[in-house]
Amino acid sequence: MVIPYANEPFTNFTLPENKKAMEDALNLVAKQKGEQYPLVIGGEKITTEARIVSINPSNTQEIVGSVAKADTNLAEKAVQAALKAFSTWQYVDPAERSRYLFKATALLRRRKFEFSAWLVEEAGKTWPEADADTAEAIDFMEYYGRQMLQYQKGMAVTPLPGEQNECHYIPLGVGVVIPPWNFPLAILTGMMAAAIVAGNTVIMKPASTTPVIAAKLMALLEEAGLPKGVVNYLPGSGGVIGDYLVSHPKVRFINFTGSKEVGLRINKLAAEVAPGQKWIKRVIAEMGGKDAIVVDKEADIDEAVSGIFASAFGFQGQKCSACSRAIVVKDVYNAVVAKLAAKARAVQVGKANDPSVFMGPVIDETAYNKILEYLEIGRAEGKIAAGGGKAGEGGYFIQPTVIAEVAPGARVAQEEIFGPVVAVIKADDFDQALAIANDTEYGLTGSVYSLNRENLEKARREFFVGNLYFNRKCTGALVGVHPFGGFNMSGTDSKAGGADYLLLFMQAKAVSEKL
Ligand SMILES: NC(=O)c1ccc[n+]([C@@H]2O[C@H](COP(=O)([O-])OP(=O)(O)OC[C@H]3O[C@@H](n4cnc5c(N)ncnc54)[C@H](O)[C@@H]3O)[C@@H](O)[C@H]2O)c1
Ligand SMILES: N[C@@H](CCC=O)C(=O)O
């Protein structure tokens, strides 16, 4: 008997005991900084001469840790280990598989502050953002564990006299899990947990900027007693081992979350049938966004500004769900720009481990330079109303930036910047605002601030995004509550954290016996 599912509560850091627990966790992490982590293949720990070094984006002089780096030989070894583990794991009772997740969740809950502290130091997440990432990882394991108990019952079929019929779910095989760095615990955990609880075995290739938190997750799974080879931890270059694994004839599915460019490449590679391959590979690809918040002339302007601010600048705008376009009806445009710019100018940017900071660094030098380039593009395409440059030395700090007077087709209004930058676009009326919102190749999240029921209903029908919100921010989907995934170039709309998600990792077998 499992207790009903409920979302993990967020931590209130204004309570002295929680603040102290987080400070203790950061101290613990500080003592472990610089440590080395091996690959884990079929339970065997393997070190390599080649390394991936993880740098603290708040302090680029500091090494968070270094991990072994797999080549294609080790990738092959990982496929073989996962195949071997699959031969038994596929027949383990689904309820038993769920229990491994419940145990791992219990362990993670006990060490919640510690995992959040690693996210602060390795990903540059502020305390609340790190806490939300850890809470979501907990939710994914709890939720998918319970979902598997439902799917275990099979699909309902129509009774036929003289036959005994059933339709039950079986796993697919060996999968490759390729996560992004921006939710390096939650998304990785969710993608891995769904696949294994459904009876598959996986190779987990973490993002190269956040491999240490993934090593911590691997250790947690081992502590939970997960059989060897069910999950294999394989950091390495995306271009080298990523391509090798995606093209491998024995790989049955790829569970990817990341950029449009890499997602499309994986989709194309996976579609080619390799010699010895006897299935069509399944690709789950969740990709980028260019998400919009529409503000109607009949709206609570202060609420709208708060929603845009939180969605555009939370975790430095590095969320696929981030608001990178605010589309405002002309009657309230100037008021929204002025209030948003004032709020952005008041933001404190600094080291993520400082609890007084609202915005930490962006992830790495490549992101830093790319965002700074977009700020220059934005300067030419619109009017910088706040921010527009670097925000300090020693780490990858960028000011929260508001670009006003941007045309809907401008590059900063069309391309995913993945940083703390929002383009504010003026619309003549609500219908035009909605048309501008839909005029993008992406379709992930969107939000509408309006007090006009007719306009809300129009948006409900016509705003073409996978996750639509009214009168609230467009980030922060909760597992079980807001199944997550987008349309068009935002991906395959897999609806992570939704009741259908596990079906992506299973196939249904109908069995009929004549009585
Ligand atoms: N839709 C969603 O649910 C969602 C969630 C989070 C992030 N994202 C998107 O992710 C992007 C940011 O993440 P990122 O910078 O890590 O993305 P990315 O595409 O650069 O990398 C994602 C992963 O792919 C790997 N990779 C790179 N080349 C590969 C290859 N040739 N074969 C296989 N794997 C390869 C990387 O090592 C990494 O683990 C943004 O576009 C963001 O919108 C989407
Ligand atoms: N699920 C997260 C976004 C994940 C992508 O970065 C949200 O809803 O904000």
Side-chain angles (χ1 to χ4, degrees), residues 95-428:
E96 186 182 334
R97 297 200 299 252
S98 293
R99 281 196 286 276
Y100 286 106
L101 290 193
F102 297 145
K103 179 64 187 174
T105 317
L107 295 173
L108 181 54
R109 216 176 249 125
R110 268 173 230 155
R111 292 169 58 196
K112 199 172 161 182
F113 290 99
E114 183 194 334
F115 272 77
S116 296
W118 281 108
L119 289 164
V120 168
E121 300 293 37
E122 187 172 46
K125 295 210 167 197
T126 57
W127 290 23
E129 293 286 348
D131 179 63
D133 195 325
T134 310
E136 193 176 6
I138 289 170
D139 284 350
F140 275 133
M141 290 197 285
E142 286 282 0
Y143 184 76
Y144 293 144
R146 282 166 181 73
Q147 286 301 320
M148 195 61 226
L149 299 178
Q150 295 306 315
Y151 281 113
Q152 181 178 25
K153 297 172 188 163
M155 189 192 294
V157 291
T158 304
L160 185 70
E163 279 186 12
Q164 191 190 41
N165 291 301
E166 62 169 35
C167 186
H168 61 268
Y169 295 104
I170 62 170
L172 296 173
V174 170
V176 185
V177 172
I178 307 178
W181 53 264
N182 73 327
F183 280 78
L185 184 58
I187 292 185
L188 173 62
T189 302
M191 291 167 75
M192 169 278 300
I196 67 165
V197 82
N200 306 285
T201 57
V202 299
I203 296 155
M204 191 165 81
K205 193 220 80 64
S208 295
T209 37
T210 51
V212 170
I213 189 77
K216 297 287 172 190
L217 174 64
M218 184 70 223
L220 191 91
L221 296 173
E222 288 176 312
E223 197 183 333
L226 193 71
K228 295 179 193 336
V230 172
V231 175
N232 300 277
Y233 169 71
L234 198 81
S237 150
V240 179
I241 64 160
D243 280 3
Y244 182 84
L245 292 168
V246 168
S247 314
H248 199 290
K250 297 292 180 198
V251 164
R252 179 67 177 80
F253 67 96
I254 296 110
N255 193 6
F256 169 81
T257 305
S259 64
K260 180 189 92 176
E261 290 69 26
V262 175
L264 292 181
R265 177 181 174 78
I266 288 174
N267 196 41
K268 189 174 172 188
L269 277 183
E272 278 167 28
V273 179
Q277 178 181 326
K278 56 177 190 181
W279 43 61
I280 300 171
K281 282 180 195 166
R282 210 176 269 186
V283 176
I284 298 112
E286 292 308 310
M287 313 194 297
K290 191 69 194 174
D291 313 303
I293 293 186
V294 169
V295 186
D296 196 2
K297 66 177 178 187
E298 295 167 69
D300 182 326
I301 298 302
D302 290 322
E303 283 282 313
V305 168
S306 297
I308 297 167
F309 176 84
S311 311
F313 303 130
F315 188 39
Q316 297 76 265
Q318 301 172 117
K319 298 183 188 180
C320 56
S321 51
C323 168
S324 53
R325 296 180 298 152
I327 304 165
V328 185
V329 173
K330 64 178 186 227
D331 314 59
V332 292
Y333 185 84
N334 289 344
V336 168
V337 171
K339 283 173 189 259
L340 182 62
K343 235 171 140 60
R345 280 194 288 269
V347 165
Q348 200 188 336
V349 183
K351 287 188 194 318
N353 62 14
D354 174 351
S356 67
V357 149
F358 173 74
M359 258 179 55
V362 299
I363 190 70
D364 64 5
E365 196 176 357
T366 309
Y368 183 67
N369 290 332
K370 177 182 152 188
I371 298 163
L372 291 176
E373 266 176 45
Y374 270 112
L375 294 185
E376 291 317 306
I377 295 167
R379 211 178 291 286
E381 290 184 328
K383 189 172 152 235
I384 304 284
K390 299 176 183 176
E393 298 302 318
Y396 302 118
F397 303 112
I398 294 186
Q399 293 173 323
T401 297
V402 178
I403 312 175
E405 311 297 340
V406 174
R411 286 186 63 191
V412 292
Q414 290 293 328
E415 297 171 17
E416 189 183 40
I417 300 173
F418 220 56
V421 186
V422 59
V424 194
I425 300 166
K426 194 185 290 178
D428 285 340

Side-chain angles (χ1 to χ4, degrees), residues 18 51 55 65 85 87 99 141 161 244 262 277 306 309 376 414 419 427 438 457 464-465 472 481:
N18 289 340
R51 317 281 315 161
I55 302 291
S87 66
R99 281 196 286 276
M141 290 197 285
Y244 182 84
V262 175
Q277 178 181 326
S306 297
F309 176 84
E376 291 317 306
Q414 290 293 328
N438 281 332
E457 293 305 327
F464 197 65
V465 290
R472 53 150 286 179
V481 181

